[in-house]
Amino acid sequence: MVPADSFREDVIEGLSQPQKTLAPKYFYDAEGSRLFDRICRLPEYYPTRAELALTRRHLADIARFAGRGCELIEYGSGEGLKTRLLLGALRPSAYVPVDISPTALEGAARRLSKEFSWLHIFAVVGDFSQPLRLPVFRQRAGRRRVVYFPGSTIGNLLPQEAEGFLHMTRGLVGRGGAMLVGVDCKKDANILHAAYNDARGVTAAFNRNLLARMNAELGANFALRRFAHYAFYNASRGRVEMHLVSRLRQRVAIGRHRFDFDVGETIHTENSHKYSVAEFQAFARDAGFAPRKVWRDRRGLFALHGLRAA
Ligand code: SAH
Ligand code: AVI
């Protein structure tokens, strides 16, 4: 679980900057995880369906690349929709899902242990952007460590953070290790706009839930209706940005801290970077991986990269 103190400190620091900012990892309290699962089923939100489709289509090749019986570590495992496919094909010797959301992690671990009774699951609640203490298994000869990072959650990191993260993961998998990472591709901005501004308003509710979380956990007094959801594609940075826009001049209190908002001022709540295959492969190389495979869905919306520790 995220310690309450670091949540408070990060919020106070983020809201004190000229461009008010909150880290997207804070979306995922119990309600945020529930809303994200609903997003994955929206007609406009193509990434989940595209990644599921490409995983089904190329499952045998993906499994060959990762190697049956490997030790599988998954970051930001969430509901584990695609993981089920992979687990069945890979039959890993151990599965270590890591997620910041205890609710998402517990639900997925319970479902997976029912479906795959032979599987050794070691669930870890933690922040993958920090060095983590993961369970250590005796490495048997020929058994590799594979990190699975689906969903384009890597796109929620800034490019320099993503590179640092890849570097850290390269160290974790060690020689002979590998990484499978799902990356959303650059595409028509209209498709992106629809995906992050769905007609049912689920993404808006997911964004505003951050305000509700600060009210509940930090005693803040955000009035949710005074903030509007705003998401757009920033082409020069190759990312969708999500913001919460203040509808009026207002002051918000969090404990003894006061934050003033002008009309139209925003809290920047998320970046979702979109990478071409070449851009992402260059990143991976800089972090010490050799890009070996790319699997894509038929429409070319989403890519799963197979990286080998160089
Ligand atoms: N892998 C799933 C879920 C993606 S949503 C899929 O592909 O659909 C992103 C997931 O990452 C959520 O479950 C969220 O709780 C988790 N997450 C986000 N930031 C995190 C962090 N810094 N450390 C660990 N988990 C994180
Ligand atoms: C988890 N992550 C990759 C999602 C994304 O598309 O950036 C989170 C999300 N934000 C709005 N909709 C979905």
Side-chain angles (χ1 to χ4, degrees), residues 27-28 36 39 45 47 151-156 184 195-196 203 206 242 270-272 274:
F27 279 132
Y28 302 93
F36 180 76
I39 289 176
Y45 194 74
S152 204
T153 304
I154 198 159
N156 296 137
D184 198 11
Y196 291 83
T203 311
F206 175 70
M242 289 213 311
E270 188 183 64
N271 293 310
S272 196
K274 313 298 169 189

Short mmCIF file of all heavy atoms in Angstrom, two decimals, residues 27-28 36 39 45 47 151-156 184 195-196 203 206 242 270-272 274, ligand 2:
data_model
loop_
_atom_site.label_atom_id
_atom_site.label_comp_id
_atom_site.label_asym_id
_atom_site.label_seq_id
_atom_site.Cartn_x
_atom_site.Cartn_y
_atom_site.Cartn_z
N PHE A 27 -3.93 7.30 -8.97
CA PHE A 27 -5.29 7.01 -9.44
C PHE A 27 -5.85 5.74 -8.80
O PHE A 27 -7.05 5.58 -8.66
CB PHE A 27 -5.28 6.73 -10.95
CG PHE A 27 -5.27 7.96 -11.81
CD1 PHE A 27 -4.37 8.07 -12.87
CD2 PHE A 27 -6.15 9.00 -11.59
CE1 PHE A 27 -4.36 9.18 -13.68
CE2 PHE A 27 -6.15 10.12 -12.39
CZ PHE A 27 -5.25 10.21 -13.45
N TYR A 28 -4.95 4.81 -8.45
CA TYR A 28 -5.39 3.43 -8.22
C TYR A 28 -5.66 3.08 -6.76
O TYR A 28 -5.04 2.20 -6.19
CB TYR A 28 -4.37 2.46 -8.84
CG TYR A 28 -4.20 2.72 -10.32
CD1 TYR A 28 -3.19 3.56 -10.78
CD2 TYR A 28 -5.08 2.16 -11.24
CE1 TYR A 28 -3.05 3.82 -12.14
CE2 TYR A 28 -4.95 2.42 -12.59
CZ TYR A 28 -3.93 3.25 -13.04
OH TYR A 28 -3.81 3.51 -14.38
N PHE A 36 -10.81 1.83 -13.65
CA PHE A 36 -9.90 1.47 -14.74
C PHE A 36 -10.39 0.18 -15.43
O PHE A 36 -10.36 0.08 -16.66
CB PHE A 36 -8.45 1.31 -14.28
CG PHE A 36 -7.57 0.95 -15.44
CD1 PHE A 36 -7.20 1.91 -16.37
CD2 PHE A 36 -7.18 -0.36 -15.66
CE1 PHE A 36 -6.45 1.57 -17.49
CE2 PHE A 36 -6.42 -0.72 -16.78
CZ PHE A 36 -6.05 0.26 -17.68
N ILE A 39 -12.91 1.16 -17.80
CA ILE A 39 -12.31 1.81 -18.98
C ILE A 39 -11.89 0.75 -20.00
O ILE A 39 -12.11 0.89 -21.21
CB ILE A 39 -11.09 2.68 -18.57
CG1 ILE A 39 -11.56 3.93 -17.80
CG2 ILE A 39 -10.24 3.09 -19.78
CD1 ILE A 39 -10.44 4.81 -17.27
N TYR A 45 -11.97 2.67 -25.84
CA TYR A 45 -10.62 2.42 -25.29
C TYR A 45 -10.05 1.17 -25.97
O TYR A 45 -10.20 0.04 -25.49
CB TYR A 45 -10.67 2.28 -23.76
CG TYR A 45 -9.28 2.35 -23.14
CD1 TYR A 45 -8.60 3.57 -23.05
CD2 TYR A 45 -8.65 1.21 -22.65
CE1 TYR A 45 -7.32 3.64 -22.51
CE2 TYR A 45 -7.38 1.28 -22.10
CZ TYR A 45 -6.72 2.50 -22.03
OH TYR A 45 -5.45 2.57 -21.49
N PRO A 47 -6.80 0.15 -26.46
CA PRO A 47 -5.55 -0.55 -26.12
C PRO A 47 -5.74 -1.95 -25.54
O PRO A 47 -5.02 -2.88 -25.91
CB PRO A 47 -4.86 0.38 -25.10
CG PRO A 47 -5.42 1.74 -25.38
CD PRO A 47 -6.83 1.48 -25.79
N GLY A 151 -0.03 -3.32 -21.13
CA GLY A 151 -0.99 -2.23 -20.93
C GLY A 151 -0.49 -0.86 -21.31
O GLY A 151 -1.19 0.12 -21.15
N SER A 152 0.77 -0.74 -21.74
CA SER A 152 1.39 0.56 -22.03
C SER A 152 1.46 1.43 -20.78
O SER A 152 1.47 2.66 -20.87
CB SER A 152 0.65 1.32 -23.15
OG SER A 152 1.52 2.24 -23.77
N THR A 153 1.55 0.78 -19.62
CA THR A 153 1.74 1.54 -18.38
C THR A 153 3.09 2.24 -18.43
O THR A 153 3.28 3.28 -17.80
CB THR A 153 1.62 0.60 -17.15
OG1 THR A 153 0.33 -0.03 -17.23
CG2 THR A 153 1.71 1.35 -15.84
N ILE A 154 4.03 1.72 -19.22
CA ILE A 154 5.32 2.39 -19.36
C ILE A 154 5.14 3.79 -19.97
O ILE A 154 5.92 4.70 -19.71
CB ILE A 154 6.32 1.54 -20.20
CG1 ILE A 154 7.74 2.04 -19.96
CG2 ILE A 154 5.96 1.51 -21.69
CD1 ILE A 154 8.83 1.06 -20.29
N GLY A 155 4.06 3.95 -20.74
CA GLY A 155 3.76 5.26 -21.35
C GLY A 155 3.35 6.31 -20.32
O GLY A 155 3.35 7.50 -20.61
N ASN A 156 2.99 5.85 -19.12
CA ASN A 156 2.61 6.82 -18.07
C ASN A 156 3.84 7.42 -17.38
O ASN A 156 3.71 8.34 -16.57
CB ASN A 156 1.68 6.17 -17.04
CG ASN A 156 0.35 5.74 -17.63
OD1 ASN A 156 -0.15 4.66 -17.34
ND2 ASN A 156 -0.24 6.56 -18.48
N ASP A 184 1.76 1.39 -26.49
CA ASP A 184 0.75 1.95 -27.39
C ASP A 184 1.45 2.76 -28.49
O ASP A 184 2.39 3.51 -28.22
CB ASP A 184 -0.21 2.85 -26.57
CG ASP A 184 -1.50 3.12 -27.32
OD1 ASP A 184 -1.75 2.46 -28.35
OD2 ASP A 184 -2.26 4.00 -26.87
N ALA A 195 -10.61 7.80 -27.15
CA ALA A 195 -10.25 6.83 -26.11
C ALA A 195 -10.14 7.47 -24.73
O ALA A 195 -10.39 6.81 -23.71
CB ALA A 195 -8.93 6.14 -26.48
N TYR A 196 -9.75 8.73 -24.69
CA TYR A 196 -9.55 9.40 -23.39
C TYR A 196 -10.67 10.39 -23.05
O TYR A 196 -10.59 11.09 -22.04
CB TYR A 196 -8.17 10.08 -23.38
CG TYR A 196 -7.05 9.05 -23.36
CD1 TYR A 196 -6.60 8.46 -24.54
CD2 TYR A 196 -6.49 8.62 -22.16
CE1 TYR A 196 -5.61 7.49 -24.53
CE2 TYR A 196 -5.49 7.64 -22.15
CZ TYR A 196 -5.06 7.09 -23.34
OH TYR A 196 -4.08 6.11 -23.32
N THR A 203 -13.80 7.76 -18.05
CA THR A 203 -12.45 8.31 -17.89
C THR A 203 -12.49 9.61 -17.07
O THR A 203 -11.60 9.85 -16.24
CB THR A 203 -11.80 8.57 -19.28
OG1 THR A 203 -11.98 7.39 -20.08
CG2 THR A 203 -10.33 8.88 -19.16
N PHE A 206 -12.74 8.56 -13.54
CA PHE A 206 -11.43 8.03 -13.11
C PHE A 206 -10.50 9.20 -12.75
O PHE A 206 -9.84 9.19 -11.72
CB PHE A 206 -10.88 7.22 -14.30
CG PHE A 206 -9.49 6.67 -14.15
CD1 PHE A 206 -9.21 5.64 -13.28
CD2 PHE A 206 -8.45 7.16 -14.95
CE1 PHE A 206 -7.92 5.10 -13.18
CE2 PHE A 206 -7.16 6.62 -14.86
CZ PHE A 206 -6.91 5.60 -13.96
N MET A 242 -3.76 14.23 -19.48
CA MET A 242 -5.02 14.40 -18.76
C MET A 242 -4.83 15.48 -17.70
O MET A 242 -3.80 15.52 -17.02
CB MET A 242 -5.46 13.11 -18.07
CG MET A 242 -5.92 12.04 -19.04
SD MET A 242 -7.23 10.96 -18.42
CE MET A 242 -6.65 10.46 -16.84
N GLU A 270 -1.99 13.09 -15.68
CA GLU A 270 -1.41 11.90 -16.35
C GLU A 270 -0.84 12.25 -17.71
O GLU A 270 -1.37 13.11 -18.41
CB GLU A 270 -2.50 10.83 -16.55
CG GLU A 270 -1.94 9.50 -17.05
CD GLU A 270 -3.05 8.47 -17.31
OE1 GLU A 270 -3.89 8.70 -18.20
OE2 GLU A 270 -3.06 7.44 -16.62
N ASN A 271 0.25 11.58 -18.07
CA ASN A 271 0.75 11.55 -19.44
C ASN A 271 0.64 10.12 -19.92
O ASN A 271 0.88 9.18 -19.15
CB ASN A 271 2.23 11.94 -19.50
CG ASN A 271 2.44 13.39 -19.12
OD1 ASN A 271 1.77 14.27 -19.65
ND2 ASN A 271 3.36 13.63 -18.20
N SER A 272 0.29 9.97 -21.18
CA SER A 272 0.24 8.62 -21.75
C SER A 272 1.00 8.69 -23.08
O SER A 272 0.43 9.05 -24.11
CB SER A 272 -1.23 8.25 -21.94
OG SER A 272 -1.36 6.89 -22.12
N LYS A 274 2.94 7.79 -26.46
CA LYS A 274 2.73 6.86 -27.58
C LYS A 274 4.04 6.80 -28.35
O LYS A 274 4.59 7.86 -28.69
CB LYS A 274 1.59 7.36 -28.49
CG LYS A 274 0.32 7.80 -27.74
CD LYS A 274 -0.32 6.67 -26.95
CE LYS A 274 -1.41 7.15 -26.01
NZ LYS A 274 -1.88 6.11 -25.09
C1 AVI B 2 -2.69 2.42 -17.36
N1 AVI B 2 -2.50 3.36 -18.45
C2 AVI B 2 -1.63 2.81 -19.50
C3 AVI B 2 -3.74 3.95 -18.97
C4 AVI B 2 -3.41 4.85 -20.19
O1 AVI B 2 -4.06 4.66 -21.23
O2 AVI B 2 -2.52 5.69 -20.08
C5 AVI B 2 -4.47 4.74 -17.92
C6 AVI B 2 -5.64 5.49 -18.47
N2 AVI B 2 -5.84 6.77 -18.36
C7 AVI B 2 -6.95 7.12 -18.96
N3 AVI B 2 -7.49 6.05 -19.50
C8 AVI B 2 -6.69 4.99 -19.18
#
